[in-house]
Amino acid sequence: KRTMTVIEKKGHHDSVYVNAAQILQGIHTEKPKDQLLVRYGDGSGPLVLTFKDEYSQRVSCELAFSALKHQDVLEEILLDSCAYPCQSILDELTSLLVVMLYDLQDRKFQARQIFNEEEPVAEVRKVEHHLYSFRTTLAAALARCHIKHDALSIQYTLPETIRKQEQRVSALPSCVWINTFKISLEDVFMDVKKKGFTRAESASDLDCCTYCIDQHCYDVLVCPSSLKEELLNLDLFADFRLLMQ
């Protein structure tokens, strides 16, 4: 039987949350003053983004935009659970609070894996501890939100037009460019075969753990979108021998 690999979500490095929060601070939706219940600070400080690599940059951006899409619901959950407002969490940390709440609910309120090799960020650990201490009431607030919106998950609280766009995007195959300045095509094929991927004849034959060569570009691999995260964890992406398009 064919099986689909499920990657368990364990959280991110502290730096990812910091970068995602800074991005969200600059793009979050400003509410009218008479509707302003959650305050994000004035954002007057300089935008300083420090990415370790391409992966952390991509994850930071994805986390920020996921929080932006669900901003209204995340704010509703914070207020309903009484996790906000909090005297110890300043307005300047609200963006961090929101992105970390999105990630926490995405992990089903499970504790984050701490990476020993990273330098801890005090603000991240402070917000994380605060949210985790409210995890029961946050989960209850999320459940009430599902009932209110008649939604199976937080994704279904989005407007239908956005959900349809995301469904179309998720159905598109992923394309990977082989950087032939750093590695040969044959070495790539051999490496992905060792990792359990098999080669299909065409895009119409794609299935679990398969890929094919693009019909028009000999140095582009096409694979199911469901394999995107698994592919990005390959060593070939670490030094840009492969690049996700």
Side-chain angles (χ1 to χ4, degrees):
K1 292 183 179 180
R2 293 192 178 102
T3 59
M4 180 63 70
T5 302
V6 177
I7 300 177
E8 184 180 355
K9 297 178 180 178
K10 299 181 179 180
H12 307 291
H13 288 81
D14 287 16
S15 59
V16 168
Y17 297 114
V18 172
N19 288 323
Q22 289 199 63
I23 295 170
L24 181 64
Q25 181 65 40
I27 62 176
H28 72 274
T29 303
E30 291 282 356
K31 305 287 179 62
K33 287 188 176 181
D34 59 338
Q35 301 177 22
L36 191 61
L37 298 176
V38 177
R39 301 182 181 278
Y40 285 79
D42 56 14
S44 57
L47 182 64
V48 181
L49 300 175
T50 305
F51 301 113
K52 291 196 309 179
D53 47 35
E54 187 271 340
Y55 175 79
S56 65
Q57 179 180 5
R58 179 180 59 82
V59 172
S60 298
C61 291
E62 287 181 352
L63 181 56
F65 280 94
S66 293
L68 175 66
K69 283 188 299 184
H70 300 90
Q71 180 182 329
D72 289 343
V73 172
L74 294 170
E75 291 178 359
E76 181 182 334
I77 293 170
L78 285 171
L79 293 166
D80 186 24
S81 65
C82 297
Y84 181 92
C86 173
Q87 289 185 346
S88 62
I89 305 294
L90 302 177
D91 290 349
E92 286 70 23
L93 294 179
T94 299
S95 292
L96 182 61
L97 188 70
V98 171
V99 296
M100 294 194 74
L101 172 59
Y102 177 83
D103 186 61
L104 181 62
Q105 66 79 34
D106 201 33
R107 300 196 313 269
K108 311 299 183 188
F109 297 95
Q110 297 300 307
R112 174 174 68 117
Q113 176 184 346
I114 299 298
F115 302 89
N116 294 327
E117 71 277 8
E118 71 168 326
E119 189 71 25
V121 179
E123 290 81 2
V124 171
R125 302 300 169 93
K126 178 180 181 179
V127 170
E128 180 176 43
H129 177 74
H130 174 71
L131 287 173
Y132 201 66
S133 67
F134 277 86
R135 64 188 182 280
T136 302
T137 53
L138 286 168
L142 176 60
R144 287 190 291 272
C145 183
H146 289 169
I147 296 171
K148 175 182 176 181
H149 294 277
D150 192 22
L152 296 174
S153 71
I154 194 171
Q155 307 300 331
Y156 287 92
T157 63
L158 294 171
E160 186 177 358
T161 53
I162 296 180
R163 291 207 310 272
K164 286 184 177 179
Q165 288 175 357
E166 293 194 334
Q167 287 171 358
R168 285 196 293 269
V169 170
S170 64
L172 293 173
S174 297
C175 294
V176 179
W177 175 59
I178 301 173
N179 185 356
T180 52
F181 292 105
K182 291 197 169 189
I183 191 170
S184 68
L185 302 177
E186 291 73 19
D187 286 343
V188 170
F189 300 151
M190 190 180 304
D191 197 288
V192 296
K193 184 178 181 180
K194 290 178 181 177
K195 297 295 191 299
F197 296 94
T198 56
R199 184 169 167 177
E201 291 299 320
S202 66
S204 60
D205 299 322
L206 290 178
D207 204 337
C208 176
C209 293
T210 60
Y211 72 93
C212 69
I213 308 299
D214 185 84
Q215 181 181 352
H216 304 289
C217 303
Y218 72 94
D219 55 356
V220 172
L221 307 181
V222 182
C223 56
S225 60
S226 58
L227 293 179
K228 184 177 179 179
E229 288 298 327
E230 192 171 348
L231 284 169
L232 286 167
N233 286 327
L234 296 177
D235 294 338
L236 293 171
F237 282 91
D239 56 359
F240 305 105
R241 287 175 290 174
L242 292 184
L243 294 167
M244 186 66 70
Q245 299 298 298

Coordinates of all heavy atoms in Angstrom, one line a residue, residues 26-102:
G26 N 5.2 45.0 10.1 CA 5.1 45.9 9.0 C 4.0 45.7 8.0 O 3.6 46.6 7.2
I27 N 3.3 44.5 8.1 CA 2.2 44.3 7.1 C 0.9 44.0 7.8 O -0.1 43.8 7.0 CB 2.6 43.1 6.2 CG1 2.8 41.8 7.1 CG2 3.9 43.4 5.4 CD1 3.1 40.5 6.3
H28 N 0.8 44.0 9.1 CA -0.5 43.6 9.8 C -1.5 44.6 9.4 O -1.3 45.8 9.1 CB -0.3 43.5 11.3 CG -0.1 44.8 12.0 ND1 1.1 45.4 12.1 CD2 -1.0 45.6 12.6 CE1 1.0 46.5 12.7 NE2 -0.3 46.7 13.0
T29 N -2.8 44.2 9.5 CA -3.9 45.0 9.2 C -4.2 46.0 10.3 O -4.4 45.5 11.4 CB -5.2 44.2 8.9 OG1 -4.9 43.2 7.8 CG2 -6.3 45.0 8.5
E30 N -4.2 47.3 10.0 CA -4.5 48.3 11.0 C -6.0 48.4 11.2 O -6.7 48.6 10.2 CB -3.9 49.6 10.6 CG -2.3 49.6 10.7 CD -1.8 49.8 12.1 OE1 -2.7 49.9 13.0 OE2 -0.6 49.7 12.3
K31 N -6.5 48.3 12.4 CA -7.9 48.4 12.6 C -8.3 49.9 12.9 O -7.5 50.7 13.4 CB -8.3 47.6 13.8 CG -7.9 46.1 13.7 CD -8.8 45.4 12.7 CE -8.4 43.9 12.5 NZ -8.5 43.1 13.8
P32 N -9.5 50.3 12.6 CA -10.0 51.6 13.0 C -9.9 51.8 14.5 O -10.0 50.8 15.3 CB -11.5 51.7 12.5 CG -11.5 50.6 11.4 CD -10.6 49.6 11.8
K33 N -9.8 53.0 15.0 CA -9.6 53.2 16.5 C -10.7 52.7 17.3 O -10.6 52.2 18.4 CB -9.4 54.7 16.7 CG -8.0 55.2 16.3 CD -7.7 56.6 16.8 CE -6.3 57.0 16.4 NZ -6.0 58.4 16.9
D34 N -12.0 52.7 16.8 CA -13.1 52.3 17.5 C -13.2 50.8 17.6 O -14.0 50.2 18.3 CB -14.4 52.9 16.9 CG -14.6 52.5 15.5 OD1 -13.6 52.2 14.8 OD2 -15.8 52.6 15.0
Q35 N -12.4 50.1 16.7 CA -12.4 48.6 16.7 C -11.1 48.0 17.2 O -10.8 46.8 17.2 CB -12.6 48.1 15.3 CG -14.0 48.5 14.7 CD -14.1 48.1 13.3 OE1 -13.5 47.1 12.8 NE2 -15.0 48.7 12.5
L36 N -10.2 48.9 17.7 CA -8.8 48.5 18.1 C -8.8 47.9 19.5 O -8.9 48.6 20.5 CB -7.9 49.7 18.0 CG -6.4 49.4 18.1 CD1 -5.9 48.6 17.0 CD2 -5.6 50.8 18.2
L37 N -8.7 46.6 19.5 CA -8.7 45.8 20.8 C -7.3 45.2 21.0 O -6.9 45.0 22.2 CB -9.7 44.7 20.8 CG -11.2 45.2 20.6 CD1 -12.1 43.9 20.5 CD2 -11.6 46.0 21.8
V38 N -6.6 45.0 20.0 CA -5.2 44.4 20.1 C -4.2 45.4 19.5 O -4.4 45.8 18.3 CB -5.1 43.1 19.4 CG1 -3.7 42.5 19.4 CG2 -6.1 42.1 20.0
R39 N -3.3 45.9 20.3 CA -2.3 46.9 19.9 C -1.0 46.3 19.5 O -0.5 45.5 20.2 CB -2.2 48.0 21.0 CG -3.5 48.6 21.4 CD -3.3 49.7 22.5 NE -4.6 50.2 22.8 CZ -5.2 51.2 22.2 NH1 -4.6 51.8 21.1 NH2 -6.3 51.7 22.6
Y40 N -0.4 46.8 18.4 CA 0.8 46.2 17.9 C 2.0 47.2 18.1 O 3.1 46.9 17.5 CB 0.7 45.9 16.4 CG -0.1 44.7 16.1 CD1 -1.5 44.7 16.1 CD2 0.5 43.5 15.8 CE1 -2.3 43.6 15.9 CE2 -0.3 42.3 15.5 CZ -1.7 42.4 15.6 OH -2.4 41.3 15.4
G41 N 1.9 48.2 18.8 CA 3.0 49.1 19.0 C 3.1 50.0 17.7 O 2.5 49.8 16.7
D42 N 4.0 51.0 17.8 CA 4.1 52.0 16.7 C 5.0 51.5 15.6 O 5.0 52.1 14.5 CB 4.6 53.3 17.2 CG 5.9 53.3 17.9 OD1 6.6 52.2 17.8 OD2 6.3 54.2 18.6
G43 N 5.8 50.5 15.8 CA 6.7 49.9 14.7 C 7.7 50.9 14.2 O 8.1 50.9 13.1
S44 N 8.1 51.8 15.1 CA 9.0 52.9 14.7 C 10.5 52.4 14.6 O 11.3 53.1 14.0 CB 8.9 54.1 15.7 OG 9.2 53.6 17.0
G45 N 10.8 51.3 15.2 CA 12.1 50.8 15.2 C 12.5 50.3 13.8 O 11.7 50.0 12.9
P46 N 13.8 50.2 13.5 CA 14.3 49.8 12.2 C 14.0 48.3 12.0 O 14.0 47.5 12.9 CB 15.8 50.0 12.3 CG 16.2 50.0 13.7 CD 15.0 50.5 14.4
L47 N 13.8 47.9 10.7 CA 13.5 46.5 10.4 C 14.8 45.8 10.1 O 15.5 46.1 9.2 CB 12.6 46.5 9.1 CG 12.2 45.1 8.6 CD1 11.4 44.4 9.6 CD2 11.5 45.1 7.3
V48 N 15.2 44.9 11.0 CA 16.4 44.2 11.0 C 16.2 42.7 10.9 O 15.8 42.1 11.8 CB 17.3 44.5 12.2 CG1 18.7 43.8 12.1 CG2 17.5 46.0 12.4
L49 N 16.3 42.2 9.7 CA 16.1 40.8 9.4 C 17.4 40.1 9.2 O 18.2 40.5 8.4 CB 15.2 40.6 8.2 CG 13.8 41.2 8.3 CD1 13.1 41.1 6.9 CD2 13.0 40.6 9.4
T50 N 17.6 39.0 10.0 CA 18.8 38.3 9.9 C 18.5 36.8 9.7 O 18.0 36.1 10.6 CB 19.7 38.4 11.2 OG1 19.9 39.8 11.5 CG2 21.0 37.7 11.0
F51 N 18.7 36.3 8.4 CA 18.4 35.0 8.1 C 19.6 34.1 8.0 O 20.6 34.5 7.4 CB 17.7 34.9 6.7 CG 16.4 35.7 6.6 CD1 16.3 36.8 5.8 CD2 15.3 35.4 7.4 CE1 15.2 37.6 5.8 CE2 14.1 36.1 7.3 CZ 14.1 37.2 6.5
K52 N 19.6 32.9 8.7 CA 20.8 32.0 8.6 C 21.0 31.5 7.2 O 22.1 31.3 6.8 CB 20.6 30.9 9.6 CG 20.6 31.3 11.1 CD 20.8 30.1 12.0 CE 19.8 29.0 11.7 NZ 20.0 27.8 12.5
D53 N 19.9 31.1 6.6 CA 20.0 30.5 5.3 C 18.6 30.7 4.5 O 17.7 31.4 5.0 CB 20.3 29.0 5.4 CG 19.4 28.3 6.4 OD1 18.2 28.7 6.5 OD2 19.9 27.4 7.1
E54 N 18.6 30.1 3.3 CA 17.3 30.3 2.5 C 16.1 29.7 3.2 O 15.0 30.2 3.1 CB 17.6 29.7 1.1 CG 16.5 29.9 0.1 CD 15.4 28.8 0.2 OE1 15.7 27.7 0.7 OE2 14.3 29.1 -0.3
Y55 N 16.4 28.5 3.9 CA 15.3 27.8 4.5 C 14.6 28.7 5.6 O 13.4 28.8 5.7 CB 15.8 26.5 5.1 CG 14.7 25.8 5.9 CD1 13.7 25.1 5.3 CD2 14.7 25.8 7.3 CE1 12.8 24.4 6.0 CE2 13.8 25.2 8.1 CZ 12.8 24.5 7.4 OH 11.8 23.8 8.2
S56 N 15.5 29.3 6.5 CA 14.9 30.1 7.5 C 14.2 31.4 7.0 O 13.2 31.8 7.6 CB 16.1 30.5 8.5 OG 17.0 31.4 7.9
Q57 N 14.7 31.9 5.9 CA 14.1 33.0 5.2 C 12.7 32.6 4.8 O 11.7 33.4 5.0 CB 14.9 33.5 4.1 CG 14.3 34.7 3.3 CD 15.1 35.2 2.2 OE1 16.2 34.6 1.9 NE2 14.7 36.3 1.5
R58 N 12.6 31.5 4.1 CA 11.3 31.0 3.6 C 10.3 30.8 4.7 O 9.1 31.2 4.6 CB 11.5 29.8 2.7 CG 10.2 29.2 2.1 CD 10.5 28.0 1.3 NE 11.1 26.9 2.1 CZ 10.5 26.1 2.9 NH1 9.1 26.2 3.0 NH2 11.1 25.1 3.5
V59 N 10.8 30.1 5.7 CA 9.9 29.7 6.9 C 9.4 31.0 7.6 O 8.2 31.1 8.0 CB 10.6 28.8 7.8 CG1 9.8 28.5 9.1 CG2 10.9 27.4 7.1
S60 N 10.3 31.9 7.8 CA 9.9 33.2 8.4 C 8.8 33.9 7.7 O 7.9 34.4 8.3 CB 11.2 34.1 8.6 OG 12.2 33.5 9.4
C61 N 9.0 34.0 6.4 CA 8.0 34.7 5.5 C 6.7 33.9 5.5 O 5.6 34.5 5.7 CB 8.5 34.8 4.1 SG 9.9 36.0 3.9
E62 N 6.7 32.6 5.4 CA 5.5 31.8 5.5 C 4.8 31.9 6.8 O 3.5 32.0 6.8 CB 5.8 30.3 5.2 CG 6.2 30.0 3.8 CD 6.5 28.5 3.6 OE1 6.6 27.8 4.6 OE2 6.7 28.1 2.4
L63 N 5.5 31.9 7.9 CA 4.9 32.1 9.2 C 4.2 33.5 9.3 O 3.1 33.6 9.9 CB 5.9 31.9 10.3 CG 5.5 32.0 11.7 CD1 4.3 31.0 12.0 CD2 6.6 31.7 12.7
A64 N 4.9 34.5 8.9 CA 4.4 35.9 9.0 C 3.1 36.0 8.1 O 2.1 36.6 8.6 CB 5.4 36.9 8.5
F65 N 3.1 35.5 6.9 CA 1.9 35.6 6.1 C 0.8 34.7 6.5 O -0.4 35.0 6.3 CB 2.3 35.4 4.6 CG 2.9 36.6 4.0 CD1 4.3 36.7 3.9 CD2 2.1 37.6 3.4 CE1 4.9 37.8 3.3 CE2 2.7 38.7 2.9 CZ 4.1 38.8 2.8
S66 N 1.1 33.6 7.1 CA 0.0 32.7 7.7 C -0.6 33.5 8.9 O -1.9 33.5 9.0 CB 0.6 31.4 8.2 OG 1.1 30.6 7.1
A67 N 0.2 34.1 9.7 CA -0.4 34.9 10.8 C -1.2 36.1 10.3 O -2.3 36.4 10.8 CB 0.7 35.4 11.7
L68 N -0.8 36.7 9.2 CA -1.5 37.8 8.6 C -2.9 37.4 8.1 O -3.9 38.0 8.3 CB -0.7 38.4 7.5 CG -1.4 39.5 6.7 CD1 -1.6 40.8 7.5 CD2 -0.6 39.9 5.4
K69 N -2.9 36.2 7.4 CA -4.2 35.7 6.9 C -5.2 35.5 8.0 O -6.4 35.7 7.8 CB -3.9 34.4 6.1 CG -3.3 34.6 4.7 CD -3.3 33.4 3.9 CE -2.5 32.3 4.6 NZ -2.4 31.0 3.7
H70 N -4.7 35.0 9.1 CA -5.6 34.6 10.2 C -5.5 35.6 11.3 O -5.9 35.3 12.5 CB -5.2 33.2 10.8 CG -5.2 32.2 9.7 ND1 -4.2 31.8 8.9 CD2 -6.2 31.3 9.4 CE1 -4.5 30.8 8.1 NE2 -5.8 30.5 8.4
Q71 N -5.1 36.9 11.1 CA -5.0 37.9 12.1 C -6.2 38.1 12.9 O -6.2 38.1 14.2 CB -4.5 39.2 11.5 CG -4.4 40.3 12.5 CD -4.0 41.7 11.9 OE1 -3.4 41.7 10.8 NE2 -4.4 42.7 12.5
D72 N -7.4 38.2 12.3 CA -8.6 38.5 13.0 C -8.9 37.3 14.0 O -9.3 37.5 15.1 CB -9.8 38.6 12.0 CG -9.7 40.0 11.3 OD1 -8.9 40.9 11.8 OD2 -10.3 40.1 10.2
V73 N -8.8 36.1 13.5 CA -9.1 34.9 14.3 C -8.1 34.8 15.5 O -8.5 34.5 16.6 CB -9.1 33.6 13.5 CG1 -9.3 32.4 14.3 CG2 -10.3 33.7 12.5
L74 N -6.8 35.0 15.2 CA -5.8 34.9 16.2 C -6.0 35.9 17.3 O -5.9 35.6 18.5 CB -4.4 35.0 15.6 CG -4.0 33.9 14.7 CD1 -2.7 34.3 13.9 CD2 -3.8 32.6 15.4
E75 N -6.4 37.1 16.9 CA -6.7 38.2 17.9 C -7.9 37.8 18.7 O -8.0 38.0 20.0 CB -6.9 39.5 17.2 CG -5.7 40.1 16.6 CD -5.9 41.4 15.9 OE1 -7.1 41.8 15.8 OE2 -5.0 42.0 15.3
E76 N -8.9 37.2 18.1 CA -10.1 36.8 18.8 C -9.8 35.7 19.8 O -10.3 35.8 20.9 CB -11.1 36.2 17.7 CG -12.4 35.8 18.3 CD -13.4 35.2 17.2 OE1 -13.2 35.6 16.0 OE2 -14.2 34.4 17.6
I77 N -8.9 34.8 19.4 CA -8.5 33.7 20.4 C -7.8 34.3 21.6 O -8.0 33.9 22.7 CB -7.7 32.7 19.6 CG1 -8.5 31.9 18.6 CG2 -7.1 31.7 20.6 CD1 -7.7 31.1 17.7
L78 N -6.9 35.2 21.3 CA -6.1 35.9 22.4 C -7.0 36.6 23.4 O -6.9 36.5 24.6 CB -5.1 36.9 21.8 CG -3.9 36.3 21.2 CD1 -3.1 37.4 20.5 CD2 -3.0 35.6 22.2
L79 N -8.0 37.3 22.9 CA -8.9 38.0 23.7 C -9.9 37.1 24.5 O -10.1 37.2 25.7 CB -9.7 39.0 22.9 CG -8.9 40.2 22.3 CD1 -9.8 40.9 21.2 CD2 -8.5 41.2 23.4
D80 N -10.4 36.1 23.8 CA -11.4 35.2 24.4 C -10.7 34.3 25.5 O -11.4 34.0 26.5 CB -11.9 34.3 23.3 CG -13.0 33.4 23.8 OD1 -13.7 33.7 24.8 OD2 -13.3 32.3 23.2
S81 N -9.5 34.0 25.3 CA -8.8 33.2 26.3 C -8.2 34.0 27.5 O -7.7 33.4 28.4 CB -7.6 32.4 25.6 OG -6.6 33.3 25.2
C82 N -8.3 35.3 27.3 CA -7.7 36.2 28.3 C -6.2 36.2 28.4 O -5.5 36.6 29.3 CB -8.2 35.9 29.7 SG -10.0 36.2 29.9
A83 N -5.5 35.6 27.3 CA -4.1 35.6 27.2 C -3.6 37.0 26.8 O -2.4 37.3 26.9 CB -3.6 34.6 26.2
Y84 N -4.5 37.8 26.3 CA -4.2 39.2 26.0 C -5.4 40.1 26.5 O -6.6 39.6 26.4 CB -4.1 39.4 24.5 CG -3.7 40.8 24.1 CD1 -2.4 41.2 23.9 CD2 -4.8 41.7 23.9 CE1 -2.1 42.5 23.6 CE2 -4.5 43.0 23.5 CZ -3.2 43.4 23.4 OH -2.9 44.7 23.0
P85 N -5.2 41.2 27.1 CA -3.9 41.9 27.3 C -3.1 41.3 28.5 O -3.7 40.7 29.4 CB -4.2 43.3 27.5 CG -5.6 43.3 28.1 CD -6.3 42.1 27.5
C86 N -1.8 41.5 28.5 CA -1.0 41.0 29.6 C 0.0 42.1 29.9 O 0.7 42.6 29.0 CB -0.3 39.7 29.2 SG 0.9 39.2 30.4
Q87 N 0.1 42.5 31.2 CA 1.0 43.6 31.6 C 2.5 43.3 31.2 O 3.2 44.2 30.9 CB 0.9 43.9 33.1 CG -0.5 44.6 33.4 CD -0.5 44.9 34.9 OE1 0.3 44.5 35.7 NE2 -1.5 45.8 35.2
S88 N 2.9 42.1 31.3 CA 4.3 41.7 31.1 C 4.6 41.6 29.6 O 5.8 41.6 29.2 CB 4.6 40.4 31.8 OG 3.9 39.4 31.2
I89 N 3.6 41.6 28.7 CA 3.8 41.6 27.3 C 3.5 42.9 26.7 O 2.4 43.3 26.5 CB 2.9 40.5 26.6 CG1 3.1 39.1 27.2 CG2 3.2 40.4 25.1 CD1 4.5 38.5 27.1
L90 N 4.6 43.7 26.3 CA 4.4 45.0 25.8 C 3.8 45.0 24.4 O 3.9 44.0 23.7 CB 5.8 45.7 25.8 CG 6.5 45.8 27.1 CD1 7.9 46.5 26.9 CD2 5.7 46.6 28.1
D91 N 3.2 46.1 24.0 CA 2.6 46.2 22.6 C 3.7 45.9 21.5 O 3.3 45.4 20.5 CB 2.1 47.6 22.4 CG 0.9 47.9 23.3 OD1 0.3 47.0 23.9 OD2 0.4 49.1 23.3
E92 N 4.9 46.2 21.8 CA 6.0 45.9 20.8 C 6.2 44.4 20.5 O 6.8 44.0 19.6 CB 7.3 46.6 21.2 CG 7.4 48.1 21.1 CD 6.5 48.8 22.1 OE1 6.2 48.2 23.1 OE2 6.1 50.0 21.8
L93 N 5.6 43.6 21.5 CA 5.8 42.2 21.3 C 4.5 41.5 20.8 O 4.4 40.3 20.7 CB 6.2 41.5 22.7 CG 7.5 41.9 23.2 CD1 7.8 41.2 24.6 CD2 8.7 41.5 22.3
T94 N 3.5 42.3 20.5 CA 2.2 41.7 20.0 C 2.4 40.9 18.8 O 1.8 39.8 18.6 CB 1.2 42.8 19.8 OG1 0.9 43.5 21.1 CG2 -0.1 42.2 19.4
S95 N 3.2 41.4 17.8 CA 3.4 40.7 16.6 C 4.0 39.3 16.9 O 3.7 38.3 16.2 CB 4.3 41.5 15.6 OG 3.7 42.6 15.1
L96 N 5.0 39.3 17.8 CA 5.6 38.0 18.2 C 4.6 37.1 18.8 O 4.6 35.9 18.6 CB 6.8 38.3 19.2 CG 7.6 37.1 19.6 CD1 8.2 36.4 18.5 CD2 8.6 37.6 20.6
L97 N 3.7 37.7 19.6 CA 2.7 36.9 20.3 C 1.7 36.3 19.3 O 1.4 35.1 19.4 CB 1.8 37.8 21.2 CG 0.8 37.2 22.1 CD1 1.5 36.4 23.3 CD2 -0.1 38.3 22.7
V98 N 1.4 37.0 18.2 CA 0.5 36.5 17.2 C 1.1 35.4 16.4 O 0.5 34.4 16.1 CB 0.0 37.6 16.3 CG1 -0.8 37.1 15.1 CG2 -0.9 38.6 17.1
V99 N 2.4 35.6 15.9 CA 3.0 34.6 15.1 C 3.3 33.3 15.9 O 3.1 32.2 15.4 CB 4.3 35.1 14.4 CG1 4.0 36.2 13.5 CG2 5.3 35.5 15.4
M100 N 3.6 33.5 17.2 CA 3.9 32.3 18.0 C 2.6 31.6 18.3 O 2.6 30.3 18.5 CB 4.7 32.7 19.2 CG 6.1 33.2 18.9 SD 7.2 33.2 20.4 CE 7.5 31.5 20.7
L101 N 1.5 32.3 18.5 CA 0.2 31.7 18.7 C -0.2 30.8 17.5 O -0.7 29.7 17.6 CB -0.9 32.7 19.0 CG -2.3 32.2 19.1 CD1 -2.5 31.1 20.1 CD2 -3.3 33.3 19.3
Y102 N 0.0 31.4 16.3 CA -0.4 30.7 15.1 C 0.4 29.4 15.0 O -0.1 28.3 14.7 CB -0.1 31.5 13.8 CG -0.4 30.6 12.5 CD1 -1.7 30.5 12.0 CD2 0.7 29.9 11.9 CE1 -1.9 29.7 10.9 CE2 0.4 29.1 10.8 CZ -0.9 29.0 10.3 OH -1.2 28.2 9.3

